[in-house]
Amino acid sequence: METPVLDVKKLKTSFFTDDGLLTVVNDVDFHVNAGEVLGIVGESGCGKSVTSLSIMGLVPALTSKVEGEILFKGENLAAANEKRMRQVRGNEIGMIFQEPMTSLNPLFTIGSQLIEAIRIHNKKVSKKQAKVQAIDMLKKVGLPRADELIDEYPHQLSGGMRQRVMIAMAMICHPEILIADEPTTALDVTIQAQILELMKSLNKETDTAIIMITHDLGVVAEVCQRIIVMYAGKVVEEGNVSDIFKNPKHPYTIGLIQSVPDMREKKDRLFSIRGNVPKPGSLPIGCQFAPRCDHAHEKCLKEAPDLKALSSGQKVRCWLYTEEKEQII
Ligand SMILES: Nc1ncnc2c1ncn2[C@@H]1O[C@H](COP(=O)(O)OP(=O)(O)O)[C@@H](O)[C@H]1O
Ligand SMILES: [Mg+2]
């Protein structure tokens, strides 16, 4: 049995709002093994970003509540103080976001930001040594003319180059996990493919586990080994990428896969799942996907299903699958 580097148990994140306490991540269980690439997929608003912010201790402390356990190599980060979380962030768990401009400081050169990141985490490194490491890292993420780039400002770079700098920033302290939240969503398709290629090769070279958060199943197919599918704050399916693409179980997963544009088939209109993700304040009782589901029956509208393990190794949260019946759709 592999030991997970991250083991999230019954994670529940709620926000205190004008409309009362809104739970946006509910009972989320998943793990990430060392060196593995795990995908978290689901439409916008399903709680993917809040899940990752909860792991990093970045949900606003005064207006939110995080329950459950976030076990990082056995240590429960949900109970860690801010001082400890500052060590974890960047050093032990790195993170990159969709829009690199929000995490890069426009007033400082690329080099000074990388050098600072190195020296915050290891005070013994001299400025000169840190500069050498920074240039090395820029080369590693495939940036040309790294020794000039180090003196440039974020706005002088293209979007794809900025995202490479962000990856360099996140990887420079050799984190054990890299959380990438829609890292390629803002980029055009060619650049997106290059960034994914880069992340795959960094994962292989450094053995850093990656949590790839995306609404795009194409991204998942490209880089992940295992995925969890989230819907309305819950995990509705979990399994190996190949199993899920070949044989998706949850009607939501099936819908997501059918919505992926297929270049080989020319269709006039692309399939899309009818309806919308429910807002956290107005979740239906019963199965949260039932109002959008073509297979919903009476029970689905009344009772919420649990996540069940199937003999195939996949897990699914759906009343269509019971102990006796595992293959319905
Ligand atoms: N600070 C907040 N206060 C209240 N609600 C929030 C806050 N942050 C996110 N939400 C809500 O939580 C839900 C999940 O959001 P998010 O995790 O960003 O979704 P995703 O990343 O899957 O698109 C959304 O309905 C969003 O409006
Ligand atoms: Mg998000």
Side-chain angles (χ1 to χ4, degrees):
M1 261 291 285
E2 280 180 284
T3 356
V5 59
L6 187 76
D7 199 358
V8 174
K9 291 181 173 173
K10 297 213 174 309
L11 178 69
K12 185 172 179 181
T13 305
S14 316
F15 294 104
F16 302 102
T17 71
D18 295 341
D19 304 321
L21 190 67
L22 292 185
T23 297
V24 305
V25 171
N26 200 351
D27 240 357
V28 164
D29 282 298
F30 70 91
H31 70 276
V32 188
N33 292 321
E36 180 183 40
V37 187
L38 174 83
I40 302 185
V41 283
E43 290 162 290
S44 175
C46 283
K48 306 181 298 295
S49 293
V50 172
T51 300
S52 66
L53 293 171
S54 304
I55 294 169
M56 300 298 276
L58 288 174
V59 284
L62 291 176
T63 54
S64 69
K65 187 162 92 173
V66 177
E67 296 161 90
E69 284 180 305
I70 300 161
L71 300 173
F72 173 56
K73 295 188 291 176
E75 174 189 4
N76 185 10
L77 297 183
N81 60 23
E82 182 51 26
K83 184 167 169 240
R84 172 71 187 122
M85 286 315 292
R86 269 202 297 269
Q87 283 175 340
V88 170
R89 287 196 285 267
N91 212 5
E92 293 162 60
I93 307 182
M95 188 157 183
I96 54 174
F97 301 96
Q98 176 173 342
E99 189 28 80
M101 260 332 241
T102 54
S103 339
L104 286 172
N105 189 327
L107 301 177
F108 293 95
T109 62
I110 303 300
S112 63
Q113 297 187 54
L114 276 166
I115 291 166
E116 190 187 89
I118 295 168
R119 297 188 75 221
I120 282 178
H121 293 292
N122 187 350
K123 300 205 168 52
K124 289 189 214 109
V125 180
S126 72
K127 266 202 176 138
K128 225 175 166 174
Q129 286 168 319
K131 188 173 173 183
V132 174
Q133 286 181 19
I135 292 175
D136 258 11
M137 196 67 220
L138 290 177
K139 286 183 185 155
K140 211 179 223 164
V141 297
L143 284 163
R145 46 179 201 86
D147 30 9
E148 290 166 40
L149 209 68
I150 205 142
D151 295 318
E152 291 178 9
Y153 291 86
H155 72 87
Q156 293 175 275
L157 277 55
S158 70
M161 285 169 89
R162 280 200 290 263
Q163 198 56 290
R164 284 179 194 266
V165 170
M166 279 312 302
I167 294 172
M169 290 268 269
M171 295 295 290
I172 200 129
C173 298
H174 311 291
E176 267 162 276
I177 306 174
L178 176 67
I179 302 181
D181 191 349
E182 308 269 5
T184 59
T185 302
L187 304 173
D188 73 49
V189 196
T190 336
I191 309 293
Q192 168 166 344
Q194 292 169 5
I195 296 284
L196 294 179
E197 228 17 80
L198 167 67
M199 295 187 68
K200 263 201 307 202
S201 69
L202 286 175
N203 164 258
K204 280 213 188 82
E205 256 173 61
T206 63
D207 222 25
T208 298
I210 298 178
I211 302 180
M212 177 64 77
I213 297 179
T214 179
H215 68 282
D216 185 345
L217 276 170
V219 169
V220 163
E222 187 63 32
V223 297
C224 301
Q225 289 138 22
R226 202 160 50 82
I227 63 174
I228 60 171
V229 181
M230 279 186 76
Y231 186 74
K234 288 187 172 173
V235 175
V236 295
E237 184 156 357
E238 181 193 324
N240 290 329
V241 168
S242 52
D243 293 340
I244 289 193
F245 275 86
K246 253 185 264 148
N247 196 2
K249 302 287 185 185
H250 200 286
Y252 181 57
T253 316
I254 294 170
L256 283 181
I257 290 175
Q258 284 174 346
S259 322
V260 176
D262 187 339
M263 295 309 192
R264 287 161 302 183
E265 265 179 81
K266 263 206 171 139
K267 284 188 195 143
D268 289 341
R269 270 189 78 220
L270 194 63
F271 173 83
S272 69
I273 306 168
R274 64 184 158 86
N276 295 301
V277 176
K279 293 269 171 303
S282 49
L283 294 182
I285 45 167
C287 169
Q288 271 139 23
F289 187 62
R292 302 175 72 186
C293 182
D294 291 336
H295 303 275
H297 48 278
E298 219 183 312
K299 189 171 191 180
C300 308
L301 301 169
K302 286 185 191 144
E303 249 181 278
D306 289 329
L307 196 63
K308 232 179 297 179
L310 304 178
S311 51
S312 65
Q314 271 153 272
K315 288 182 185 166
V316 63
R317 187 188 292 279
C318 174
W319 284 126
L320 294 175
Y321 302 87
T322 61
E323 278 73 20
E324 307 88 63
K325 304 177 286 183
E326 285 204 349
Q327 199 76 34
I328 305 280
I329 310 171

